[in-house]
Amino acid sequence: MLQLNASCSPMVHDRDHGHHDCCGTDHRAAQPADGCISSASATCPPRAGAGEVLWRINAMDCAAEENEIRQALAGVTGIADLRFQLASRTLAIRAKPAALSTAETILRRLGYPPQVLESGSPAAPVTGSVPWTRLIAALMLAAAAEGIHALLPQSWLHEALEIALALGAIPLAGLPVYTKGLAALRLGRLNINALMTVAVTGAFLIGHWPEAAMVMALYAIAEALEAQAADRARAAISRLMELAPEQARIKQDSGEWALVGVAAVVINQLVRVEPGERIPLDGVVATGNSAVNQAPVTGESLPVEKGAGDQVFAGTVNTHGSLVITVTAPASKSTLARIIHAVEEAQASRAPIQRFVDRFAARYTPAVFVLALALALLSPPLLGLTPIDAVYRALVLLVIACPCALVIATPVTLVSGLTAAARRGIVIKGGLYLEQARQLRTLAFDKTGTLTTGRPTLEAFQVIDGRVPITLQQQWAASLASRSDHPISRAIAAALNDERLAVEALKALGGRGVSGEIDGQTLRLANHRWVHELGLCTPDLEQAMSAHEQRGRSVSLLTDAHGVLALIAVADQPRATAAAAITGLRQLGLTPVMLSGDNARTAGVIADRLGIEQVRSELLPEQKLAAIAQLQAQAPTGMVGDGINDAPALAGAAIGVAMGAAGSDTAMEAADVVVMDDDPQRLVELIRLSRCTWAVLWQNIALALGIKGAFLVLTLLGTATMWQAVFADMGTSLLVIANGLRLRRQQWA
């Protein structure tokens, strides 16, 4: 197929898969702001967009607290959008001035006072500082109170010591909890801080002083461990940015080389990279030869040979030769920076299962609270419990009512999955796509540049009509082909190294070819379909084209106003891993389908070599979209293409995957999933990761609900204590975090 794009303007599709903010409005992920990343930053720090205010909320350090803030602001009229970034503990809010003031008041009452960041200043990631000295001291005081209670005989002096130690331990460990808890109770909200405030206060008032102190100390320590584990999950992708050097060695006007900060380097400057150094910025090799380890960007395990004209990426390692590169993008827009930004936006979005869990948790906590209240009031007359025992069991239930483990179960798992994929060169644009990839049953592939290398070579230039000298024919063909970025056109232009002529009135017809005027002659570089539509096919020409097509070659024809002048045959080879990828997809239960604009014979030859049984050929871009719609009607279907020519089909598929997108802004925006290298086996990894992520998600949900259910029964039977409930609740939270982090070890790859 000869798909020529004369204007070279990208076709970027618009998906309807946005994420919902607290107001229920559908919003697409914000695009990166200019200059959002410097080399020294560990992530792409969020900035306030147009009409937004960026708040730092230092007290917001876990998904449960983000969810609480989201719910608290859900009823505020005038809020258009909320964008959370837990890694930097920021909230970008777009709202009317009155709504902004109301939101700030609500957050302060809840114990989450926002700090306004200056307009245009990036918010760096926050690493939680745990006050271990204070927490350990609180634990020792609580343990001393427990020791006195257990080992010494009961007396007023010992009770006074227990009370004194408990009064020292509780505020030492739980002052932040009490601050947030009382604020939540004043607003009538039942969050974990409110539940712990009531439970610890109640235990203290009924005389369980040591246990009240121990519960608060254990809870505070477990919360600190949980926050650190969650930060570890969120910060994993951020470490990638540390791979990019902070300085670059640039060539000055005097000819000398000097080290400067990468933020000061501009496009087209020359940068020298010595052996063993990391490449500081995206660029094109100007001089030198070396092998570059591109694993941080593309996931490729072996170094790639680079020479003059080859593209290189920031953060990759120059192995053995000295390179001089011409900078093509500032540090803030490097491929590595865009990968990190895409993953961070994906982390900020909310997958369907996460919204389901949040809705469940919002109902679970009030339900258990009502059960605890009923137990306290009704168990004395119905079960014969003493009022103190009834209240104690109710307080244990309040601890169990904490939804933290359930709320944390999904975001940590999804973040770990997104991070693991990015480290393998797979950029997934949201938890939605990571969750839904497992549902795919059909995967449609474009041929050229997707299943094949995309680097075809000219195999034959056959003169059909000799009334024009072959040298002029080749010059015409090269001039037309040089105006297109399609792989076949690039192959023709590269092979016919003739002087280029000016082309006027250039027109491109998708799926057909390109036409233009050269020296007053109307010329076309057309594929088989277009020549047939023009009525220029003859039996001899059909026979000549058939001979090439049966060998897997793509045929283009040069025509003028009088007929066909020349036949140009180009051959592209399947990617080395394409056959293995097709086999792997079949083993996972997916049906591969080829959708090609090339002729039936050429497409069939490539399909046979790869083991693809379903082939649809000679398709125009809109026909590919129609084919995707037909396949979608039968089963969930994904589309794999180059992100530009296949944009309509990518948009119409359940999940659109762009291949070989490293360095391509268009492909990064055009698809739901971006494979940064050219390896089709990444698609097998994507499906495996999605299925593994789904399994871990439900393992976490089952663990959280199962352990809470078990302790609910033990509490009703009177065998569970408050400190055991804290251990169970916080232990479950740490367990689901650890289980989610398993995805980073790539056992799915």
Side-chain angles (χ1 to χ4, degrees), residues 514-531:
V514 65
S515 67
E517 293 184 5
I518 300 178
D519 295 331
Q521 293 266 16
T522 299
L523 302 168
R524 300 182 188 88
L525 196 57
N527 62 7
H528 192 161
R529 169 200 287 271
W530 197 9
V531 171

PDB file of all heavy atoms in Angstrom, residues 514-531:
ATOM      1  N   VAL A 514      -0.205   9.861  -4.139  1.00  0.00           N
ATOM      2  CA  VAL A 514      -0.008  11.297  -4.167  1.00  0.00           C
ATOM      3  C   VAL A 514       0.120  11.751  -5.613  1.00  0.00           C
ATOM      4  O   VAL A 514       0.610  11.010  -6.478  1.00  0.00           O
ATOM      5  CB  VAL A 514       1.249  11.689  -3.353  1.00  0.00           C
ATOM      6  CG1 VAL A 514       2.504  11.130  -3.981  1.00  0.00           C
ATOM      7  CG2 VAL A 514       1.358  13.194  -3.180  1.00  0.00           C
ATOM      8  N   SER A 515      -0.346  12.982  -5.864  1.00  0.00           N
ATOM      9  CA  SER A 515      -0.208  13.546  -7.206  1.00  0.00           C
ATOM     10  C   SER A 515       0.356  14.948  -7.093  1.00  0.00           C
ATOM     11  O   SER A 515       0.280  15.591  -6.044  1.00  0.00           O
ATOM     12  CB  SER A 515      -1.563  13.582  -7.923  1.00  0.00           C
ATOM     13  OG  SER A 515      -2.443  14.503  -7.292  1.00  0.00           O
ATOM     14  N   GLY A 516       0.937  15.418  -8.190  1.00  0.00           N
ATOM     15  CA  GLY A 516       1.486  16.761  -8.206  1.00  0.00           C
ATOM     16  C   GLY A 516       1.939  17.135  -9.609  1.00  0.00           C
ATOM     17  O   GLY A 516       1.930  16.297 -10.520  1.00  0.00           O
ATOM     18  N   GLU A 517       2.301  18.392  -9.755  1.00  0.00           N
ATOM     19  CA  GLU A 517       2.772  18.885 -11.052  1.00  0.00           C
ATOM     20  C   GLU A 517       4.267  19.183 -10.978  1.00  0.00           C
ATOM     21  O   GLU A 517       4.724  19.871 -10.066  1.00  0.00           O
ATOM     22  CB  GLU A 517       2.013  20.150 -11.454  1.00  0.00           C
ATOM     23  CG  GLU A 517       0.542  19.909 -11.748  1.00  0.00           C
ATOM     24  CD  GLU A 517      -0.162  21.166 -12.236  1.00  0.00           C
ATOM     25  OE1 GLU A 517       0.539  22.188 -12.428  1.00  0.00           O
ATOM     26  OE2 GLU A 517      -1.393  21.131 -12.412  1.00  0.00           O
ATOM     27  N   ILE A 518       5.009  18.619 -11.937  1.00  0.00           N
ATOM     28  CA  ILE A 518       6.442  18.867 -12.053  1.00  0.00           C
ATOM     29  C   ILE A 518       6.722  19.355 -13.474  1.00  0.00           C
ATOM     30  O   ILE A 518       6.431  18.645 -14.450  1.00  0.00           O
ATOM     31  CB  ILE A 518       7.262  17.596 -11.762  1.00  0.00           C
ATOM     32  CG1 ILE A 518       6.994  17.094 -10.330  1.00  0.00           C
ATOM     33  CG2 ILE A 518       8.754  17.861 -11.953  1.00  0.00           C
ATOM     34  CD1 ILE A 518       7.728  15.821  -9.980  1.00  0.00           C
ATOM     35  N   ASP A 519       7.209  20.583 -13.568  1.00  0.00           N
ATOM     36  CA  ASP A 519       7.493  21.189 -14.877  1.00  0.00           C
ATOM     37  C   ASP A 519       6.260  21.130 -15.784  1.00  0.00           C
ATOM     38  O   ASP A 519       6.354  20.841 -16.976  1.00  0.00           O
ATOM     39  CB  ASP A 519       8.670  20.484 -15.555  1.00  0.00           C
ATOM     40  CG  ASP A 519       9.967  20.673 -14.788  1.00  0.00           C
ATOM     41  OD1 ASP A 519      10.106  21.712 -14.106  1.00  0.00           O
ATOM     42  OD2 ASP A 519      10.834  19.765 -14.851  1.00  0.00           O
ATOM     43  N   GLY A 520       5.084  21.378 -15.192  1.00  0.00           N
ATOM     44  CA  GLY A 520       3.848  21.405 -15.973  1.00  0.00           C
ATOM     45  C   GLY A 520       3.237  20.054 -16.246  1.00  0.00           C
ATOM     46  O   GLY A 520       2.137  19.972 -16.801  1.00  0.00           O
ATOM     47  N   GLN A 521       3.920  18.981 -15.871  1.00  0.00           N
ATOM     48  CA  GLN A 521       3.401  17.629 -16.082  1.00  0.00           C
ATOM     49  C   GLN A 521       2.622  17.180 -14.842  1.00  0.00           C
ATOM     50  O   GLN A 521       3.103  17.279 -13.720  1.00  0.00           O
ATOM     51  CB  GLN A 521       4.561  16.659 -16.315  1.00  0.00           C
ATOM     52  CG  GLN A 521       5.315  16.898 -17.609  1.00  0.00           C
ATOM     53  CD  GLN A 521       4.773  16.023 -18.734  1.00  0.00           C
ATOM     54  OE1 GLN A 521       3.681  15.477 -18.637  1.00  0.00           O
ATOM     55  NE2 GLN A 521       5.533  15.910 -19.809  1.00  0.00           N
ATOM     56  N   THR A 522       1.406  16.662 -15.040  1.00  0.00           N
ATOM     57  CA  THR A 522       0.621  16.100 -13.946  1.00  0.00           C
ATOM     58  C   THR A 522       1.043  14.646 -13.742  1.00  0.00           C
ATOM     59  O   THR A 522       0.876  13.807 -14.638  1.00  0.00           O
ATOM     60  CB  THR A 522      -0.890  16.169 -14.241  1.00  0.00           C
ATOM     61  OG1 THR A 522      -1.279  17.537 -14.401  1.00  0.00           O
ATOM     62  CG2 THR A 522      -1.689  15.548 -13.102  1.00  0.00           C
ATOM     63  N   LEU A 523       1.589  14.369 -12.564  1.00  0.00           N
ATOM     64  CA  LEU A 523       2.143  13.040 -12.280  1.00  0.00           C
ATOM     65  C   LEU A 523       1.502  12.456 -11.028  1.00  0.00           C
ATOM     66  O   LEU A 523       1.046  13.193 -10.142  1.00  0.00           O
ATOM     67  CB  LEU A 523       3.660  13.130 -12.079  1.00  0.00           C
ATOM     68  CG  LEU A 523       4.464  13.719 -13.242  1.00  0.00           C
ATOM     69  CD1 LEU A 523       5.892  14.015 -12.804  1.00  0.00           C
ATOM     70  CD2 LEU A 523       4.458  12.761 -14.434  1.00  0.00           C
ATOM     71  N   ARG A 524       1.482  11.125 -11.013  1.00  0.00           N
ATOM     72  CA  ARG A 524       0.961  10.426  -9.831  1.00  0.00           C
ATOM     73  C   ARG A 524       1.937   9.334  -9.427  1.00  0.00           C
ATOM     74  O   ARG A 524       2.538   8.686 -10.281  1.00  0.00           O
ATOM     75  CB  ARG A 524      -0.404   9.791 -10.108  1.00  0.00           C
ATOM     76  CG  ARG A 524      -1.505  10.743 -10.524  1.00  0.00           C
ATOM     77  CD  ARG A 524      -2.808   9.975 -10.720  1.00  0.00           C
ATOM     78  NE  ARG A 524      -3.860  10.801 -11.302  1.00  0.00           N
ATOM     79  CZ  ARG A 524      -4.057  10.977 -12.604  1.00  0.00           C
ATOM     80  NH1 ARG A 524      -3.254  10.349 -13.473  1.00  0.00           N
ATOM     81  NH2 ARG A 524      -5.017  11.740 -13.054  1.00  0.00           N
ATOM     82  N   LEU A 525       2.050   9.153  -8.110  1.00  0.00           N
ATOM     83  CA  LEU A 525       2.711   7.971  -7.561  1.00  0.00           C
ATOM     84  C   LEU A 525       1.602   7.202  -6.855  1.00  0.00           C
ATOM     85  O   LEU A 525       1.169   7.582  -5.770  1.00  0.00           O
ATOM     86  CB  LEU A 525       3.823   8.375  -6.588  1.00  0.00           C
ATOM     87  CG  LEU A 525       4.842   7.302  -6.218  1.00  0.00           C
ATOM     88  CD1 LEU A 525       5.533   6.746  -7.460  1.00  0.00           C
ATOM     89  CD2 LEU A 525       5.878   7.857  -5.261  1.00  0.00           C
ATOM     90  N   ALA A 526       1.126   6.149  -7.518  1.00  0.00           N
ATOM     91  CA  ALA A 526      -0.131   5.524  -7.135  1.00  0.00           C
ATOM     92  C   ALA A 526       0.049   4.056  -6.785  1.00  0.00           C
ATOM     93  O   ALA A 526       0.965   3.391  -7.280  1.00  0.00           O
ATOM     94  CB  ALA A 526      -1.146   5.659  -8.277  1.00  0.00           C
ATOM     95  N   ASN A 527      -0.851   3.553  -5.930  1.00  0.00           N
ATOM     96  CA  ASN A 527      -0.830   2.129  -5.642  1.00  0.00           C
ATOM     97  C   ASN A 527      -1.739   1.383  -6.633  1.00  0.00           C
ATOM     98  O   ASN A 527      -2.369   1.988  -7.517  1.00  0.00           O
ATOM     99  CB  ASN A 527      -1.232   1.852  -4.191  1.00  0.00           C
ATOM    100  CG  ASN A 527      -2.653   2.292  -3.871  1.00  0.00           C
ATOM    101  OD1 ASN A 527      -3.416   2.698  -4.756  1.00  0.00           O
ATOM    102  ND2 ASN A 527      -3.016   2.209  -2.606  1.00  0.00           N
ATOM    103  N   HIS A 528      -1.813   0.069  -6.461  1.00  0.00           N
ATOM    104  CA  HIS A 528      -2.579  -0.767  -7.388  1.00  0.00           C
ATOM    105  C   HIS A 528      -4.035  -0.332  -7.439  1.00  0.00           C
ATOM    106  O   HIS A 528      -4.632  -0.253  -8.526  1.00  0.00           O
ATOM    107  CB  HIS A 528      -2.463  -2.232  -6.937  1.00  0.00           C
ATOM    108  CG  HIS A 528      -2.959  -3.214  -7.947  1.00  0.00           C
ATOM    109  ND1 HIS A 528      -2.617  -4.541  -7.920  1.00  0.00           N
ATOM    110  CD2 HIS A 528      -3.779  -3.083  -9.031  1.00  0.00           C
ATOM    111  CE1 HIS A 528      -3.202  -5.179  -8.927  1.00  0.00           C
ATOM    112  NE2 HIS A 528      -3.916  -4.302  -9.612  1.00  0.00           N
ATOM    113  N   ARG A 529      -4.617  -0.050  -6.290  1.00  0.00           N
ATOM    114  CA  ARG A 529      -6.029   0.333  -6.238  1.00  0.00           C
ATOM    115  C   ARG A 529      -6.296   1.569  -7.094  1.00  0.00           C
ATOM    116  O   ARG A 529      -7.250   1.602  -7.882  1.00  0.00           O
ATOM    117  CB  ARG A 529      -6.437   0.622  -4.781  1.00  0.00           C
ATOM    118  CG  ARG A 529      -7.817   1.281  -4.652  1.00  0.00           C
ATOM    119  CD  ARG A 529      -7.961   1.970  -3.304  1.00  0.00           C
ATOM    120  NE  ARG A 529      -8.112   1.003  -2.240  1.00  0.00           N
ATOM    121  CZ  ARG A 529      -9.298   0.531  -1.837  1.00  0.00           C
ATOM    122  NH1 ARG A 529     -10.408   0.960  -2.413  1.00  0.00           N
ATOM    123  NH2 ARG A 529      -9.372  -0.334  -0.873  1.00  0.00           N
ATOM    124  N   TRP A 530      -5.473   2.582  -6.928  1.00  0.00           N
ATOM    125  CA  TRP A 530      -5.720   3.852  -7.618  1.00  0.00           C
ATOM    126  C   TRP A 530      -5.543   3.687  -9.127  1.00  0.00           C
ATOM    127  O   TRP A 530      -6.327   4.218  -9.922  1.00  0.00           O
ATOM    128  CB  TRP A 530      -4.786   4.932  -7.068  1.00  0.00           C
ATOM    129  CG  TRP A 530      -5.213   6.334  -7.402  1.00  0.00           C
ATOM    130  CD1 TRP A 530      -6.386   6.719  -7.976  1.00  0.00           C
ATOM    131  CD2 TRP A 530      -4.470   7.529  -7.173  1.00  0.00           C
ATOM    132  NE1 TRP A 530      -6.424   8.079  -8.120  1.00  0.00           N
ATOM    133  CE2 TRP A 530      -5.266   8.605  -7.637  1.00  0.00           C
ATOM    134  CE3 TRP A 530      -3.222   7.793  -6.634  1.00  0.00           C
ATOM    135  CZ2 TRP A 530      -4.827   9.923  -7.569  1.00  0.00           C
ATOM    136  CZ3 TRP A 530      -2.809   9.110  -6.550  1.00  0.00           C
ATOM    137  CH2 TRP A 530      -3.594  10.170  -7.022  1.00  0.00           C
ATOM    138  N   VAL A 531      -4.516   2.960  -9.517  1.00  0.00           N
ATOM    139  CA  VAL A 531      -4.309   2.737 -10.954  1.00  0.00           C
ATOM    140  C   VAL A 531      -5.498   2.000 -11.557  1.00  0.00           C
ATOM    141  O   VAL A 531      -5.945   2.296 -12.678  1.00  0.00           O
ATOM    142  CB  VAL A 531      -2.998   1.957 -11.186  1.00  0.00           C
ATOM    143  CG1 VAL A 531      -2.882   1.516 -12.638  1.00  0.00           C
ATOM    144  CG2 VAL A 531      -1.808   2.830 -10.812  1.00  0.00           C
TER     145      VAL A 531
END
